[in-house]
């Protein structure tokens, strides 16, 4: 039973690490990346729709994104959503597609993005600690009910701490990679 709890906690932690790493992709670097706009939702016929469902997103140049709507009537709604987002990029609409030219990042802006990435990493660590806490509660409940001995509980808690530490290290490594990428000129 404890092994099931540990496996479930490990699966949840893997998912949390993957989510945190995908969040890092939304933080802008000097290069264009479709993940920059994927979290933007567009008001389309009265419903919020993710931009990737309305358009294809490509990278024609290193610092440019091309957004080509599947339906031309959504072009203005996509442009408005991008303009209102926190990207700080002014979209260029040519009637068929939208081009986003990414300006060179200033040192100050790079430092702000590093802070954003650190905040995302901390959110990921919090999720890992919450998963560890929930797994511990489940294991302690098993011990109280008499299904598990105290020694087995201690062994399982040490294993859970080891698993948690490994996942925290994964988030920290991803953060360091992102920080290096952001500060690279």
């Amino acid at each position: 039973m404890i092994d099931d709890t540990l496996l479930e906690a490990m699966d949840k932690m893997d998912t949390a690490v993957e989510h945190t790493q995908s969040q890092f992709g939304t933080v802008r670097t000097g290069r264009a990346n479709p993940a920059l706009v994927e979290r933007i939702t567009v008001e389309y016929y009265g419903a919020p729709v993710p931009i990737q469902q309305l358009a294809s997103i490509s990278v024609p140049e290193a610092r440019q994104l091309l957004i080509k709507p599947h339906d031309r009537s959504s072009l203005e709604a996509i442009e408005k959503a991008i303009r209102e987002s926190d990207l700080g990029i002014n979209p260029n609409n040519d009637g068929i597609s939208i081009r986003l030219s990414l300006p060179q990042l200033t040192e100050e802006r790079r430092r702000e993005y590093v802070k954003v990435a650190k905040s995302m990493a901390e959110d990921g660590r919090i999720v890992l600690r919450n998963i560890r806490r929930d797994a511990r509660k489940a294991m302690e409940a098993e011990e109280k009910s008499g299904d598990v001995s105290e020694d087995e509980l201690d062994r399982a808690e040490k294993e859970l701490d080891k698993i948690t530490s490994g996942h925290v290290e994964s988030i920290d490594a991803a953060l360091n990679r992102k920080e290096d990428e952001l500060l690279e000129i």
Side-chain angles (χ1 to χ4, degrees):
M1 194 68 188
I2 279 193
D3 290 337
D4 293 342
T5 305
L6 287 174
L7 284 174
E8 183 181 340
M10 197 171 355
D11 286 344
K12 287 180 180 178
M13 287 183 187
D14 288 341
T15 304
V17 169
E18 287 172 23
H19 176 73
T20 302
Q21 290 173 340
S22 71
Q23 286 292 94
F24 287 154
T26 65
V27 177
R28 197 179 129 213
T29 59
R31 292 178 229 103
N33 183 350
L36 292 173
V37 294
E38 286 180 352
R39 63 184 164 80
I40 296 175
T41 56
V42 179
E43 193 69 29
Y44 186 63
Y45 289 112
V49 179
I51 198 167
Q52 67 265 31
Q53 290 182 9
L54 293 175
S56 61
I57 305 165
S58 60
V59 184
E61 296 175 26
R63 296 180 15 158
Q64 190 175 73
L65 283 175
L66 180 66
I67 301 170
K68 204 166 193 174
H70 305 303
D71 176 15
R72 279 199 189 153
S73 67
S74 66
L75 192 66
E76 289 178 17
I78 292 172
E79 183 180 13
K80 180 181 177 194
I82 292 169
R83 197 169 269 125
E84 291 174 353
S85 73
D86 61 352
L87 281 179
I89 300 172
N90 204 12
N92 297 327
N93 179 348
D94 64 6
I96 299 171
S97 60
I98 297 173
R99 288 187 188 276
L100 300 176
S101 296
L102 304 176
Q104 186 75 344
L105 290 176
T106 64
E107 184 68 23
E108 182 181 326
R109 196 75 170 136
R110 289 174 190 274
R111 298 270 179 222
E112 287 176 27
Y113 284 139
V114 167
K115 286 179 186 174
V116 169
K118 285 182 177 180
S119 169
M120 290 175 175
E122 185 56 31
D123 290 346
R125 288 187 210 103
I126 289 169
V127 169
L128 292 178
R129 288 192 293 266
N130 289 341
I131 293 168
R132 179 183 64 192
R133 184 196 63 224
D134 293 344
R136 264 210 174 116
K137 281 183 183 176
M139 291 187 302
E140 287 169 0
E142 289 176 34
E143 194 236 354
K144 283 181 183 170
S145 69
D147 295 342
V148 176
S149 71
E150 197 173 317
D151 290 341
E152 287 177 304
L153 179 66
D154 287 344
R155 180 197 57 81
E157 284 182 343
K158 286 177 184 169
E159 182 66 24
L160 181 63
D161 287 343
K162 206 182 308 178
I163 291 168
T164 305
S165 296
H167 286 83
V168 167
E169 287 172 11
S170 297
I171 287 178
D172 290 343
L175 173 63
N176 288 336
R177 285 191 304 273
K178 187 63 176 183
E179 205 171 327
D180 291 344
E181 186 181 322
L182 284 167
L183 296 176
E184 176 186 304
I185 297 176

